[in-house]
Amino acid sequence: MAFTAVVKASPFKVKGMARIASHHPIPSCFAISLFFFMGVEYTLKMVPSSSPPKDIGFLLTENIHGFLSTRPVFNSLLAALNTVFVGMQAVYVGWVFLVEERPRATIAALFMFTCRGVMGYCTQLPLPHEFLSSGVDFPVGNVSFFLFFSGHIAGAMIASLDMRRMKRRRLALVFDYLNALQAFRLLATRGHYTIDLAVGLAAGFFFDILAGKYAAWKSNIMPSGFYQGADCSCCNGNCR
């Protein structure tokens, strides 16, 4: 009876809540998941400090990791191909800046790598014990290894978003596919934790939006150079 009285007195009645859920299913699922993970947070036992970190992505790629650990030549081949993909990202970002005179992707990459450097320095995560290194991986020779967050994933996301703005959808799909393979390899070789990849993906979106806002702001105070005129036919120059 008390619960019924609360429901009737509340401005959010049952029908209203059902209508909200039907019109906004995704936020409603997030709301349900909020309460679920609140329960998980208070019942899940943390990993002891003497144990290695627990990573679901590592568990899912355990067989691939075992396969690569016994085949160092094949592991280096995959590392070399991944380094080529990183080079493709850099070439594309440089091309759109120097040749097409569109600085947004370059600004996003600069913002992203600066933030990654600061965060990687402030919180230095331990390199996984099962990490499979290769001299042809990037960073070359593993000279430095900031784990959080993944610049590989974020850089590819920035390039893919720029391709979509310019209606280069097929090329964007190729980059997305290679990015997924890259993420799988990074997990299998223990080159990144799962959270590094997830945040790297979000960082690509965030810094692309931030660079777009920066470009729009500069276009208002500097109506010349890179920020003047239309950039493409789809958005009257807003996709720079």
Side-chain angles (χ1 to χ4, degrees), residues 10-209:
S10 173
F12 296 101
K13 295 184 178 180
V14 174
K15 290 184 179 179
M17 295 296 291
R19 187 163 53 250
I20 291 174
S22 63
H23 284 83
H24 305 283
I26 295 179
S28 298
C29 289
F30 286 154
I32 295 172
S33 67
L34 168 65
F35 290 102
F36 172 76
F37 283 109
M38 284 177 65
V40 170
E41 181 179 0
Y42 286 99
T43 57
L44 185 68
K45 292 183 178 180
M46 300 300 292
V47 177
S49 58
S50 58
S51 301
K54 179 181 178 180
D55 193 298
I56 296 298
F58 287 7
L59 296 176
L60 294 175
T61 57
E62 188 171 358
N63 291 336
I64 304 299
H65 177 269
F67 176 84
L68 294 176
S69 64
T70 59
R71 294 166 176 82
V73 175
F74 186 64
N75 178 52
S76 292
L77 174 62
L78 294 181
L81 293 174
N82 204 156
T83 299
V84 170
F85 180 51
V86 173
M88 290 166 59
Q89 301 170 29
V91 168
Y92 180 83
V93 171
W95 175 273
V96 298
F97 177 70
L98 297 173
V99 179
E100 299 181 2
E101 297 187 347
R102 294 187 299 104
R104 177 168 173 171
T106 303
I107 294 171
L110 292 174
F111 283 172
M112 181 271 291
F113 278 109
T114 299
C115 179
R116 180 179 181 270
V118 172
M119 297 180 75
Y121 183 81
C122 291
T123 303
Q124 298 174 30
L125 302 175
L127 192 66
H129 294 298
E130 298 178 328
F131 171 58
L132 302 177
S133 62
S134 173
V136 294
D137 208 345
F138 183 83
V140 177
N142 307 310
V143 176
S144 63
F145 219 92
F146 283 169
L147 287 169
F148 189 82
F149 46 87
S150 174
H152 288 69
I153 301 298
M157 194 71 250
I158 289 171
S160 175
L161 291 172
D162 184 84
M163 293 169 187
R164 282 181 165 78
R165 274 193 300 273
M166 301 305 294
K167 296 186 177 181
R168 298 165 178 165
R169 295 188 180 91
R170 291 184 179 180
L171 186 58
L173 286 174
V174 170
F175 261 61
D176 290 341
Y177 180 71
L178 293 175
N179 203 10
L181 291 178
Q182 173 180 245
F184 187 76
R185 174 195 163 262
L186 289 170
L187 281 176
T189 60
R190 310 306 189 240
H192 272 298
Y193 295 106
T194 302
I195 192 172
D196 302 324
L197 307 181
V199 175
L201 192 68
F205 278 100
F206 173 76
F207 287 108
D208 178 74
I209 293 172

Side-chain angles (χ1 to χ4, degrees), residues 97 100-108 111 211-231 236-240:
F97 177 70
E100 299 181 2
E101 297 187 347
R102 294 187 299 104
R104 177 168 173 171
T106 303
I107 294 171
F111 283 172
K213 291 185 178 296
Y214 174 81
W217 171 66
K218 294 298 288 185
S219 66
N220 291 329
I221 64 174
M222 296 178 61
S224 61
F226 281 131
Y227 303 98
Q228 183 181 30
D231 186 69
N236 296 324
N238 293 326
C239 61
R240 284 179 176 274

